[in-house]
């Protein structure tokens, strides 16, 4: 994660850095994708368990699935992922999304580049 904060309006008070919001959003999107893939493979109902949110095993298939999406679709998944985790920062996230969307999208891009480049996907 970069050492610098993305610029934010000084009048906006966030409980954590934009990069942290982005990290949680990307990781939780990986979890949702993985849970969805498991539900399809097991022919079960999609019912993501928040207890497994940050215990995603087998990230590579989820990364590949997200990589196949457009950036806009991927960002939608990041938002949905964040909305599904029990973290107490939903109100701040929604405010950031509503008032500083380009800033959040840039945070998503930066974090996604780190995740997508973790492993060789060739």
């Amino acid at each position: 994660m970069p050492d610098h904060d993305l610029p934010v309006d000084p009048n906006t008070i966030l409980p954590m850095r934009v990069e942290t919001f982005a990290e949680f959003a990307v990781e939780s999107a990986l979890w949702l994708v993985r849970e969805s893939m498991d539900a399809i493979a097991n022919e079960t109902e999609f019912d993501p368990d928040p207890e497994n949110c940050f215990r995603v095993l087998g990230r590579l298939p989820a990364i590949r699935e997200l990589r196949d999406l457009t950036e806009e679709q991927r960002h939608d998944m990041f938002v949905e992922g964040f909305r599904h985790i029990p973290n107490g920062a939903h109100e701040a996230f929604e405010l950031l999304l509503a008032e500083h969307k380009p800033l959040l999208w840039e945070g998503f891009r930066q974090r996604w580049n780190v995740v997508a480049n973790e492993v060789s996907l060739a």
Side-chain angles (χ1 to χ4, degrees):
M1 188 145 336
D3 291 326
H4 65 284
D5 284 326
L6 293 172
V8 136
D9 178 350
N11 296 322
T12 301
I13 299 172
L14 298 173
M16 56 190 164
R17 297 174 13 183
V18 172
E19 291 91 348
T20 305
F21 281 105
E23 182 177 357
F24 280 117
V26 170
E27 293 302 318
S28 57
L30 290 171
W31 159 66
L32 281 182
V33 169
R34 188 66 203 175
E35 292 269 326
S36 174
M37 293 171 72
D38 288 347
I40 291 167
N42 297 323
E43 297 180 3
T44 59
E45 187 174 321
F46 175 67
D47 185 23
D49 181 0
E51 289 289 318
N52 296 327
C53 184
F54 296 107
R55 290 186 241 159
V56 179
L57 299 176
R59 290 165 52 99
L60 183 57
I63 291 171
R64 284 184 176 141
E65 287 294 320
L66 284 172
R67 207 169 202 208
D68 288 343
L69 301 177
T70 66
E71 181 179 74
E72 184 175 332
Q73 292 169 327
R74 205 169 24 251
H75 287 187
D76 288 346
M77 285 299 300
F78 299 158
V79 169
E80 279 308 305
F82 195 95
R83 288 175 173 162
H84 277 80
I85 57 174
N87 63 21
H90 290 108
E91 186 176 321
F93 180 79
E94 295 298 332
L95 180 67
L96 185 60
L97 182 60
E99 295 185 10
H100 301 287
K101 189 173 183 177
L103 180 66
L104 185 58
W105 261 218
E106 183 57 32
F108 286 168
R109 278 185 209 97
Q110 289 178 13
R111 181 61 190 161
W112 176 248
N113 285 335
V114 170
V115 169
N117 292 316
E118 283 178 355
V119 292
S120 172
L121 297 176

